[in-house]
């Protein structure tokens, strides 16, 4: 599972999702929100 974060231009998100990235967390994403989403992805696997 690949998860990306940081300063990634929003226009690149779809390319990354198409390439297999499971989640993208941009600037300002709260740690708790990211943690919940990552845990949900892990549970699905």
């Amino acid at each position: 599972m690949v998860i990306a974060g940081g300063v990634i231009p929003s226009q690149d998100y779809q390319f990354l999702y198409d390439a297999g990235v499971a989640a993208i967390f941009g600037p300002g994403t709260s740690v708790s929100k990211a943690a919940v989403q990552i845990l949900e992805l892990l549970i699905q696997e």
Side-chain angles (χ1 to χ4, degrees), residues 6-18 21 24-27:
V7 182
I8 300 171
S10 59
Q11 65 265 26
D12 292 346
Y13 283 20
Q14 191 58 53
F15 173 81
L16 293 169
Y17 285 129
D18 292 344
V21 172
I24 301 170
F25 301 103

Side-chain angles (χ1 to χ4, degrees), residues 24-44:
I24 301 170
F25 301 103
T29 302
S30 72
V31 173
S32 58
K33 178 183 175 186
V36 167
Q37 190 172 350
I38 292 168
L39 288 172
E40 289 172 347
L41 289 168
L42 291 171
I43 289 169
Q44 291 174 8

